[in-house]
Amino acid sequence: MSTFFRTHRAYCLVTAALALIATVLRALSVALFTDKASGYFLADAALPIITHVVMALAAIALALYPLLLLKGRVAVKRARLTSGGVIGSLLCALLFFLNFISACISGSTLPGPLLAVTLLALLCATLYFLLAVPRFQVSVKTRTVLGALAVAALACLVALTYFDVATPMNAPHKTELHLALLAAMLYLLYELRDTAEIPMPRMMAACSALAFFLAVTVGFSDLLAYTVGIYESPLYLAEDLLLPALAVYIGARSIADAAHAPIKSEQKGEKSAL
């Protein structure tokens, strides 16, 4: 295999290409083959089935790529936050706060204590991304605590829409939004490992690619569905808007990491962190 395809840069390009293909397929599926009344795809439509097959194969490929091809070719120490990363971080802070407002006014059926935890976690997630901006000097302990609460905030967003009775439990809008949020949770967990100085570079790369892929594919196609009138729920809209913001942040960080990744594999006999 070409040496180029065994670099972090190539991995980023492959991720972007797969995300573009899957986004186009899913956008067409949602816009053309969704039964608005039920929220499901039309039973006799082939494109949604093809889309799900492509998304599943792409996700598997992205998860395995760094584990099989990038040993010793991913930087152990992550790059500093670039201007693109700062923009993504601020967008995430803004969208987490928007979700906080949405959770306050949505009339959620969550039990009172869980709703209180949700609101607190969303505010902490807002702070986590706001304080990621380099001008703020935040201790590792503070950032780790806020990051853990940001992971909890994403879990709470899953709970908010999971218990929403207006959307069927296994409708594509609900299940695929949840998959994207779960992938973002996984990404943040490995980002926290890096913050705590116990990194797993190749797992970080794999989770970054998977989270970016799902955030782009689900986020942008869902927003198109709102534009054409297929989806209408304000609660889901707030979460769908968060996905592109997460994609900008994760994508910018991945590009910066790829720019600093070693081109050649490390010396034989040296151990490579997973």
Side-chain angles (χ1 to χ4, degrees), residues 150-212:
V151 174
L154 289 171
C156 289
L157 290 180
V158 172
L160 275 173
T161 45
Y162 181 85
F163 290 106
D164 173 46
V165 296
T167 303
M169 189 59 67
N170 58 343
H173 191 189
K174 177 175 286 188
T175 56
E176 290 167 29
L177 172 62
H178 289 174
L179 283 174
L181 292 174
L182 290 170
M185 289 172 60
L186 195 59
Y187 165 80
L188 284 181
L189 284 172
Y190 281 98
E191 183 167 271
L192 286 177
R193 286 187 63 95
D194 183 78
T195 301
E197 298 183 350
I198 45 175
M200 297 180 71
R202 284 188 290 160
M203 288 300 296
M204 176 83 257
C207 292
S208 298
L210 189 59
F212 175 84

Side-chain angles (χ1 to χ4, degrees), residues 45-63:
L47 186 59
I49 297 174
I50 295 171
T51 299
H52 287 148
V53 171
V54 169
M55 288 178 64
L57 292 176
I60 293 171
L62 290 175

Side-chain angles (χ1 to χ4, degrees), residues 80-82 85-86 89-90 128-139 143:
R80 292 180 178 272
L81 206 64
T82 61
V86 170
S89 186
L90 293 176
Y128 174 77
F129 284 99
L130 182 62
L131 297 178
V133 177
R135 110 171 17 183
F136 297 107
Q137 299 296 323
V138 183
S139 68
R143 183 155 174 77

Side-chain angles (χ1 to χ4, degrees), residues 89-110:
S89 186
L90 293 176
L91 283 174
C92 287
L94 176 63
L95 268 299
F96 268 108
F97 188 69
L98 176 64
N99 275 274
F100 168 79
I101 295 173
S102 176
C104 288
I105 65 177
S106 66
S108 171
T109 57
L110 287 179

Side-chain angles (χ1 to χ4, degrees), residues 162-269:
Y162 181 85
F163 290 106
D164 173 46
V165 296
T167 303
M169 189 59 67
N170 58 343
H173 191 189
K174 177 175 286 188
T175 56
E176 290 167 29
L177 172 62
H178 289 174
L179 283 174
L181 292 174
L182 290 170
M185 289 172 60
L186 195 59
Y187 165 80
L188 284 181
L189 284 172
Y190 281 98
E191 183 167 271
L192 286 177
R193 286 187 63 95
D194 183 78
T195 301
E197 298 183 350
I198 45 175
M200 297 180 71
R202 284 188 290 160
M203 288 300 296
M204 176 83 257
C207 292
S208 298
L210 189 59
F212 175 84
F213 171 77
L214 288 172
V216 169
T217 302
V218 177
F220 284 104
S221 54
D222 280 355
L223 293 180
L224 175 63
Y226 281 100
T227 302
V228 299
I230 301 296
Y231 298 152
E232 297 177 346
S233 170
L235 177 64
Y236 280 81
L237 177 59
E239 296 188 19
D240 282 322
L241 285 169
L242 175 62
L243 293 181
L246 288 168
V248 173
Y249 175 75
I250 296 170
R253 296 224 63 180
S254 297
I255 291 171
D257 291 341
H260 290 82
I263 302 298
K264 295 182 179 180
S265 182
E266 58 190 5
Q267 294 293 326
K268 186 175 181 180

